[in-house]
Amino acid sequence: EVHVVESGGGLVQAGGSLRLSCSASGFGSDDYAIGWFRRAPGKEREGVACISSMDDKTIVTDSLKGRFTASSDDARSTLYLQMHNLQPEDTAVYYCAAQDIPPGPPCPLDEYYYRDNIWGQGTQVTVSS
């Protein structure tokens, strides 16, 4: 059974940085994806970053490149999301998701492809102006 555990998050002033971690375990195959998503108040959940074990590559959604970076541990079982120059519009609940045998590579940033419905509880990121 796949599990994900999120850590990080909190309150930061605009321009500050935070790092989120998502550790996933219990995959039934060597092919999997781990993704970070976020849901801002009044908005739909959107994909932020992901990694695929099939090509060991991380992806950050285009709109956040330059401020957000994604990396993983050597085992490719923990996905880190480093967030710099945070702005109030980054305020959201950030969720981690995992998918066994996802499509791709590349890893999917669309939650539609996380069909196993394995999600973390979410971690709040609040950016004050």
Side-chain angles (χ1 to χ4, degrees):
E1 187 176 351
V2 181
H3 293 279
V4 294
V5 178
E6 303 149 334
S7 62
L11 174 64
V12 65
Q13 290 186 331
S17 299
L18 283 174
R19 189 175 85 155
L20 306 182
S21 300
C22 173
S23 295
S25 61
F27 291 111
S29 74
D30 291 332
D31 298 336
Y32 55 85
I34 305 170
W36 275 110
F37 295 79
R38 69 181 185 181
R39 189 195 303 273
K43 295 186 178 181
E44 294 192 355
R45 191 159 54 189
E46 62 174 341
V48 175
C50 61
I51 184 171
S52 169
S53 68
M54 293 179 280
D55 63 0
D56 293 339
K57 291 183 179 179
T58 57
I59 293 175
V60 175
T61 193
D62 287 345
S63 64
L64 297 174
K65 288 179 180 176
R67 295 194 300 122
F68 288 19
T69 59
S71 61
S72 69
D73 62 352
D74 290 342
R76 301 293 186 265
S77 63
T78 299
L79 180 63
Y80 302 104
L81 182 66
Q82 181 67 54
M83 305 181 291
H84 294 293
N85 191 22
L86 284 161
Q87 299 300 314
E89 55 265 34
D90 296 314
T91 294
V93 179
Y94 285 70
Y95 297 91
C96 180
Q99 177 64 41
D100 234 335
I101 316 180
C107 58
L109 279 173
D110 188 333
E111 65 176 273
Y112 171 84
Y113 295 105
Y114 291 79
R115 304 300 296 275
D116 289 346
N117 203 32
I118 298 163
W119 293 86
Q121 76 283 0
T123 185
Q124 178 71 46
V125 172
T126 302
V127 185
S128 62
S129 57

